[in-house]
Every structure is written in structure tokens, then in C-alpha cells.
Amino acid sequence: MSYTVKALRKTGPDQPFEVANLERRDPREDDIVIKIKAAGICHSDIHTIRNEWGEAHFPLTVGHEIAGIVEAVGANVTKFKVGDRVGVGCMVNSCGECEQCQNDQEQDCLNGNVGTYNAKDVDGTITQGGYSQKVTVNERFAVTIPDSIDFDVAAPLLCAGITTYSPLARWNVKEGQKVAVLGLGGLGHMGVQIAATMGADVTVLSRSLKKEEAAKKLGATRTLATTEDGFFEEHKGEFDLILNTISAPVDLDAYLSLLKPHGIFSTVGLPPEALELHMGKLIIGGKVLTGNNIGGIKETQEMLDFCAKHGIVSVIEKISVDQVDEYYDKVVDGDVIFRAVIDTETFEK
């Protein structure tokens, strides 16, 4: 059985978004139905629906930053009740049995997790994301949104928040460390807030100083322009950790030179191109080059609780369903401060 909701979908990478009817499954015994209040736009949505990460399954509804209210629960649901405030991020299922799932690392499921959209679900259907009025998900893959965080600013935390929180927590960022955040966009603005709250001395690395004032308000002590003459030589060996949030190619050799011995370059930005690296840049100084892919459900809840405790939220531009095509171009151009969020109430207007 199923029910019908309105959703934004594309029928091809070059087609505009359209409002269409989307079939959602009725809740199974361990499912919840969420009435979506806000849906964030992530650069991953754009990469996917423009076929930049391979051919997508069209017609497709994307969106994996979902915030809303539980509207119905399956017979065996124990984690949530009707009326609870919940969120869903980048995945909606995993095997639950492998070593990684048992260690609360569902994002690294050895049998492959099920993405919130454009993925084959356990019943063989293609998952459809959160640019929609409602969604049905397994209760294990929903998290509680604290009362102090509004839905619209909570939605991006389900991807941008956990994507930046996880590596900073993994590498135990603490008071007094010098952390650089490369890029001040949808991911970077969360990384700055979280690292600063952890006690780090945060520097934003950007091509220019045009976001210097915004970076300061978020908790950065300074912003440096990487395009200035002699930049890499002047700041050689300065940072304990660099968090790279840029989804475009960067000069790995150059940025590794900015690290102290045993420093860490952690990337969450995912450019489609392969990058060049000379291994000596890692070996000399015993440096670490690492990546991070979101976090598990337990850590995502930990991130939300951390943000609620410290008053951290995403900085957003709230938009209607008929503005999404326009804002995709703005996101790519870096012309959004700092995250675009769809007001799903506008499906009714």
C-alpha cells in the first residue's frame, strides 16, 4: 500500500524541477511517516541530479537534509511517537549486522548503506528524497531534533552539520589547537562554528577576504586569502588540522605544507576530479591525509545535541519550491549565505 504526496522532481539532468505526485510506502512495522517541515539543499543533490557523479535514476526527487514531525508510526516502533520532532540525513537503511553497523558506523556498512535518494532500497525500489511533503523511513535512521533548534535551521545539520562535526570529533579537536577551515560555504560555515566551540583557534582559508566579517561572526579569529603572493611560504607549518570543505580541486602538496609535523588534512569536499599528490609531502613530518563521510546515527544525534547545547545552527536562506532551479545555480556560484532551505509549506501555495 502507498500514499501520494507532492514532491519536486526532475525527469532528466537538463530538465527543470517540476511539482509532481510521488508515491510513498505506507509504514511498515518499524517505519515512521514524517511530515516534512524543511528540506535543505546540499551540493551533493546538485552533483547527483546533474549526473556529475554518474547517471542518476530519473525521474528523481533528491534531498537528504530533512526536518519534520512524526505523523504516523508502525506497530513495532519504540524510538518515536506521533508529534515528535525528527530529522533524516543521508541514509535510510543499512544491513544492521556487519561490523561497521554494529559499531554505530552505518555510513560505512560493509554491505552498502541505502542512500536517502537515488539508491536501491531493500524492496528494490529507488529511494526518493526530501524535496517533498512527507517521507516514510525506518525508525533507526531518524534522529531527534532538540526543541531549541527550529526546523529550517536544523535541516542542514543533518548533512552539513554531521559532515563537519564527525572529523573534528574523530581527530579530537580541542582547546588551543590551530584549525584551518578551507572554504566558507555550506559546509565550511558549520566547521568554523563547531571547531571554535570545541576551543580551537580557527582560521578561514579562502580565495579572497570578502567573507572575512562573516567568518568572524561565526567564530573564526581571522581569514586568510590563499591567492596572495607568498601565502604558502608565509604560513608554512602553522596548523594542527585543516578541514577541507571545497568540492573542487585543491593543490594537496601546497596545503600539506601548511601543517605542523603530524598535522592532519581532513577532506569532506568531494571534487569529481582526481588530485595529484607527492608522497614525500606526507612522509616528511609524518602528516595525515584523510577523508570523512558523514557519521553514524548515534554520532548524528550527538552532533545535534552538541549544537543545541551551544546554540549552533546553520545560516540559511529560506526559499519556496519554485526557486530551487535558481538556487542550484547560486549554490554552484557560491552565492548563498550559507545554506538554502526549502519551505515545504509552499507546496500548497
Side-chain angles (χ1 to χ4, degrees):
M1 298 292 291
S2 63
Y3 60 95
T4 302
V5 297
K6 291 180 180 178
L8 273 180
R9 73 175 186 184
K10 279 199 175 195
T11 57
D14 300 319
Q15 300 301 310
F17 277 102
E18 62 181 16
V19 176
N21 289 328
L22 175 65
E23 295 295 313
R24 296 289 197 188
R25 72 172 184 266
D26 284 334
R28 304 179 184 124
E29 291 184 340
D30 54 358
D31 282 340
I32 61 175
V33 176
I34 302 169
K35 179 177 175 57
I36 300 171
K37 304 295 285 185
I41 292 176
C42 177
H43 210 136
S44 298
D45 303 344
I46 301 172
H47 284 309
T48 298
I49 214 156
R50 291 183 174 178
N51 279 349
E52 293 169 353
W53 286 348
E55 291 191 17
H57 298 88
F58 291 102
L60 181 63
T61 295
V62 294
H64 57 206
E65 298 179 346
I66 302 168
I69 298 171
V70 176
E71 189 174 78
V73 298
N76 293 339
V77 168
T78 59
K79 188 176 177 182
F80 301 105
K81 64 183 184 302
V82 172
D84 283 351
R85 307 172 84 248
V86 295
V88 176
C90 300
M91 53 188 170
V92 292
N93 219 324
S94 71
C95 77
E97 299 176 354
C98 71
E99 178 185 22
Q100 294 304 311
C101 288
Q102 290 295 305
N103 288 332
D104 299 313
Q105 300 293 320
E106 298 92 345
Q107 77 279 12
D108 295 323
C109 175
L110 298 179
N111 295 302
N113 71 63
V114 178
T116 305
Y117 60 77
N118 198 47
K120 184 177 286 188
D121 208 343
V122 293
D123 60 2
T125 61
I126 300 301
T127 54
Q128 304 291 329
Y131 296 6
S132 173
Q133 292 177 306
K134 298 180 185 180
V135 66
T136 301
V137 297
N138 185 291
E139 67 167 333
R140 292 191 298 118
F141 287 84
V143 289
T144 297
I145 295 177
D147 291 340
S148 62
I149 307 179
D150 292 338
F151 290 119
D152 52 0
V153 294
L157 300 181
L158 278 305
C159 177
I162 185 58
T163 296
T164 50
Y165 177 88
S166 185
L168 294 171
R170 174 185 177 186
W171 295 105
N172 193 30
V173 167
K174 55 185 179 292
E175 187 172 356
Q177 287 190 315
K178 292 187 178 297
V179 171
V181 176
L182 180 52
L184 190 67
L187 290 174
H189 93 285
M190 292 305 309
V192 169
Q193 293 182 84
I194 293 167
T197 301
M198 290 175 170
D201 180 355
V202 181
T203 297
V204 169
L205 304 181
S206 187
R207 289 172 294 181
S208 73
L209 299 179
K210 70 177 183 178
K211 294 182 179 179
E212 183 175 17
E213 192 59 34
K216 185 177 180 180
K217 290 179 180 178
L218 293 167
T221 57
R222 61 178 176 165
T223 298
L224 299 176
T226 59
T227 53
E228 289 185 356
D229 291 341
F231 168 81
F232 289 97
E233 187 61 33
E234 181 179 350
H235 298 283
K236 185 176 180 179
E238 193 166 311
F239 300 106
D240 295 288
L241 183 145
I242 297 173
L243 180 66
N244 173 35
T245 69
I246 297 175
S247 294
V250 298
D251 186 338
L252 289 176
D253 287 356
Y255 282 102
L256 287 168
S257 74
L258 301 179
L259 292 172
K260 298 176 182 179
H262 306 156
I264 298 152
F265 186 93
S266 179
T267 187
V268 293
L270 184 57
E273 302 90 344
L275 305 185
E276 185 177 279
L277 169 67
H278 293 91
M279 296 304 292
K281 300 297 182 180
L282 284 178
I283 292 171
I284 298 172
K287 298 171 184 177
V288 175
L289 174 62
T290 182
N292 210 86
N293 176 26
I294 58 172
I297 300 303
K298 181 179 179 180
E299 189 174 45
T300 301
Q301 187 65 62
E302 177 185 298
M303 175 275 303
L304 285 168
D305 295 341
F306 177 89
C307 289
K309 179 180 179 180
H310 297 285
I312 298 172
V313 295
S314 53
V315 179
I316 68 164
E317 295 183 31
K318 199 168 183 177
I319 66 173
S320 62
V321 295
D322 60 0
Q323 292 179 285
V324 175
D325 278 313
E326 171 192 350
Y327 267 77
Y328 265 34
D329 292 332
K330 285 189 173 187
V331 170
V332 172
D333 293 339
D335 193 27
V336 176
I337 306 295
F338 282 100
R339 208 74 172 181
V341 175
I342 303 166
D343 177 2
T344 54
E345 297 292 332
T346 59
F347 276 111
E348 299 297 340
K349 296 179 180 179

